[in-house]
């Protein structure tokens, strides 16, 4: 059995909501640039997608996230820029069309 074998976990709606809130905080409210390792993680984002799918309000949430969120995009760009300034060399390029940026702002679609 490898690490990508699906496991069944049972959560109640309150636990689903709590985990979604924690992930949204980590991605869009936490100002620490180290949180980008989680924000852009395909594994974290896959788990988030499954939390949404298992939610009682999945249909409404998917429609909401489909519309994008310019505030979330701006927050993410600022976090990425701060990380770049700390580690990078040269000028920061805000590549909002990159796969990494799309993972970072997920579950929102790019506005």
């Amino acid at each position: 059995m490898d690490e990508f074998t699906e496991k069944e976990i049972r959560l109640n709606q309150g636990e689903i909501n709590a985990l979604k809130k924690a992930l949204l905080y980590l991605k869009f409210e936490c100002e620490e640039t180290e949180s980008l390792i989680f924000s852009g993680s395909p594994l974290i984002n896959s788990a988030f997608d499954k939390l949404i799918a298992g939610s009682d309000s999945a249909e409404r949430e998917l429609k909401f996230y489909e519309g994008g969120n310019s505030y979330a995009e701006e927050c993410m760009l600022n976090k990425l820029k701060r990380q770049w300034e700390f580690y990078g060399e040269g000028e920061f390029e805000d590549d909002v069309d990159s796969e990494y940026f799309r993972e970072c702002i997920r579950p929102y679609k790019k506005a």
Side-chain angles (χ1 to χ4, degrees):
M1 187 178 293
D2 64 48
E3 67 183 285
F4 296 108
T5 300
E6 294 274 326
K7 307 269 185 175
E8 186 172 326
I9 297 175
R10 297 175 58 90
L11 301 171
N12 65 42
Q13 187 60 48
E15 292 166 329
I16 290 171
N17 290 343
L19 286 170
K20 289 187 300 186
K21 286 179 184 180
L23 290 173
L24 287 171
Y25 169 81
L26 182 63
K27 291 171 80 69
F28 303 113
E29 300 298 326
C30 178
E31 294 188 15
E32 296 295 326
T33 57
E34 290 84 9
S35 68
L36 287 167
I37 194 168
F38 304 109
S39 298
S41 167
L43 294 173
I44 296 285
N45 288 324
S46 175
F48 195 101
D49 291 345
K50 291 173 184 176
L51 288 169
I52 292 170
S55 176
D56 290 344
S57 57
E59 192 174 311
R60 187 175 69 239
E61 288 180 60
L62 290 171
K63 185 177 254 188
F64 173 77
Y65 292 127
E66 228 10 82
N69 184 320
S70 58
Y71 173 77
E73 287 185 29
E74 184 179 331
C75 288
M76 194 55 65
L77 279 175
N78 288 334
K79 194 185 301 190
L80 288 165
K81 184 175 182 178
R82 285 194 319 278
Q83 182 186 46
W84 180 261
E85 289 170 350
F86 185 78
Y87 291 110
E89 296 179 13
E91 193 170 326
F92 175 73
E93 294 181 27
D94 57 348
D95 187 4
V96 296
D97 293 321
S98 73
E99 180 67 28
Y100 181 67
F101 183 76
R102 285 192 301 277
E103 284 293 327
C104 284
I105 64 166
R106 195 164 145 194
Y108 296 105
K109 304 294 184 216
K110 197 167 140 290

